[in-house]
Amino acid sequence: MDIDNIRAFVTVAELKSLSAAASRMNHLQSNMTAKIKKLEAHYRQQLFIRSARGMELTEEGIKLYRQYKKLLVLWEETEQAMNRREAKLRLGTMQSVISGEITLALTNLYEKYPDLSVTLKTGTTEKMEQELIQGNIDLAYTIGKTASSQLTYRKIGTEELVLIGRKAAEGASLEYCLQKENRIILSEDCLYTSILEQLYSVYGFQKGNAIEVGVLETLLQFARLGMGISVISKRIAQQYKLNHFVQLPPEYRYIDKYIVTRLNYELSPLERQFIETSHFL
């Protein structure tokens, strides 16, 4: 089976869209459709069904997806070993993106490549983009983007944002949560801070003080203690077992996630392997 067909199937499954998958792989949509049809003919199974949410896997498609993900990881391991490239990763993330999944992916790579060299930088989306442009890192995970012409953005999903804090109980109004409350922020130029500022500006609520903490765990602890409110990913809130959060208005609730590289940068086998195993998708 052609590795490009395998990668095409996995990409469509994860993006739930033929057009988005074609864009990511730099293929024509008609070519992607042909690849999926070829796989369905090969296995004599329907692998996808179309729904309101896009291209959804059938039960047989789910089985194949799980196997193909394993094959892709093995393929990238083989490419890394046979090409004898230096085991090096230079990546950046927003602080809120450093999760158990990424930590586990790095742990697995260190087990396979004891001489692995990792450069890891954290900061805002804007900072990560500048680090890429300046050549300090080669790969970044971001939430949101500035659409720089010097960078390539690969959309990998959507993040749901919530408002956290002691007042942010289910059913609480936005005004009750925000009015005169202190704002707990990672930094002034953080994307989450920008969204919180927009809420205050658009709805005309009175602000409390800004408490800049710089560390995600500290932000979450301060919110737990009732020292103020903050905007954070729902995934992070659930990961840290925060019980008090409310949904944002629809126009502020969702934000896209990206893998970002320099324009025309070709991912190494090790970088592809890291992406496949980090489960950031």
Side-chain angles (χ1 to χ4, degrees):
M1 183 60 62
D2 190 303
I3 192 67
D4 196 55
N5 289 345
I6 293 175
R7 198 180 298 283
F9 172 81
V10 168
T11 305
V12 173
E14 292 176 342
L15 295 181
K16 297 184 178 182
S17 165
L18 279 167
S19 60
S23 177
R24 177 182 293 185
M25 295 186 67
N26 197 27
H27 288 334
L28 295 174
Q29 184 170 334
S30 57
N31 289 345
M32 296 294 287
T33 301
K35 290 177 184 296
I36 298 303
K37 287 183 177 179
K38 184 176 181 179
L39 288 173
E40 290 183 325
H42 176 76
Y43 291 110
R44 299 179 183 178
Q45 300 280 354
Q46 183 179 2
L47 302 175
F48 289 97
I49 55 173
R50 291 185 180 272
S51 74
R53 292 178 295 181
M55 299 284 286
E56 297 281 346
L57 290 169
T58 63
E59 288 188 13
E60 293 302 315
I62 292 172
K63 292 179 186 177
L64 187 62
Y65 171 77
R66 290 170 179 163
Q67 294 301 115
Y68 273 6
K69 284 289 283 188
K70 295 175 186 176
L71 281 174
L72 281 179
V73 171
L74 183 58
W75 172 263
E76 300 302 347
E77 288 178 1
T78 304
E79 288 291 289
Q80 176 67 31
M82 296 306 295
N83 288 333
R84 300 184 182 277
R85 297 190 187 184
E86 181 184 359
K88 179 177 68 174
L89 275 177
R90 302 195 311 155
L91 65 146
T93 77
M94 294 177 62
Q95 191 177 85
S96 58
V97 174
I98 300 178
S99 61
E101 291 87 354
I102 288 180
T103 301
L104 180 59
L106 285 173
T107 300
N108 290 337
L109 287 181
Y110 267 109
E111 289 176 355
K112 295 171 185 173
Y113 311 108
D115 296 327
L116 176 66
S117 170
V118 175
T119 298
L120 177 63
K121 294 184 178 289
T122 63
T124 63
T125 293
E126 292 82 356
K127 180 182 177 182
M128 292 301 97
E129 291 180 346
Q130 285 304 310
E131 294 281 2
L132 283 165
I133 292 169
Q134 293 166 10
N136 298 325
I137 57 176
D138 302 314
L139 173 72
Y141 289 112
T142 70
I143 298 177
K145 63 176 182 176
T146 65
S148 168
S149 60
Q150 300 179 65
L151 301 172
T152 297
Y153 300 87
R154 297 173 176 85
K155 183 179 174 181
I156 55 175
T158 301
E159 196 88 335
E160 181 179 355
L161 305 182
V162 294
L163 193 68
I164 61 171
R166 184 168 287 180
K167 282 189 172 182
E170 185 176 353
S173 70
L174 201 61
E175 181 176 6
Y176 174 75
C177 295
L178 294 177
Q179 185 69 17
K180 297 183 180 180
E181 280 295 299
N182 292 335
R183 291 155 293 135
I184 310 169
I185 62 176
L186 288 172
S187 68
E188 289 288 351
D189 54 354
C190 173
L191 180 64
Y192 296 146
T193 303
S194 172
I195 292 172
L196 188 56
E197 292 299 321
Q198 288 180 53
L199 289 171
Y200 274 101
S201 175
V202 169
Y203 289 93
F205 300 137
Q206 186 176 345
K207 301 176 186 177
N209 296 322
I211 304 173
E212 185 172 338
V213 296
V215 178
L216 179 63
E217 286 79 3
T218 304
L219 180 150
L220 297 172
Q221 184 61 26
F222 281 9
R224 258 198 202 97
L225 293 172
M227 293 176 62
I229 50 86
S230 189
V231 167
I232 198 70
S233 159
K234 183 178 180 181
R235 172 181 55 84
I236 295 294
Q238 292 175 329
Q239 181 181 330
Y240 283 87
K241 296 181 172 56
L242 287 181
N243 299 319
H244 300 289
F245 61 82
V246 294
Q247 288 184 324
L248 296 182
E251 61 269 33
Y252 301 102
R253 190 177 302 166
Y254 300 101
I255 192 160
D256 292 332
K257 302 188 294 186
Y258 298 92
I259 289 175
V260 190
T261 60
R262 285 182 295 281
L263 193 65
N264 299 322
Y265 178 81
E266 184 177 347
L267 292 171
S268 72
L270 185 65
E271 288 164 340
R272 289 186 180 277
Q273 187 179 337
F274 175 75
I275 291 170
E276 294 292 344
T277 56
S278 67
H279 301 296
F280 186 67
L281 297 173

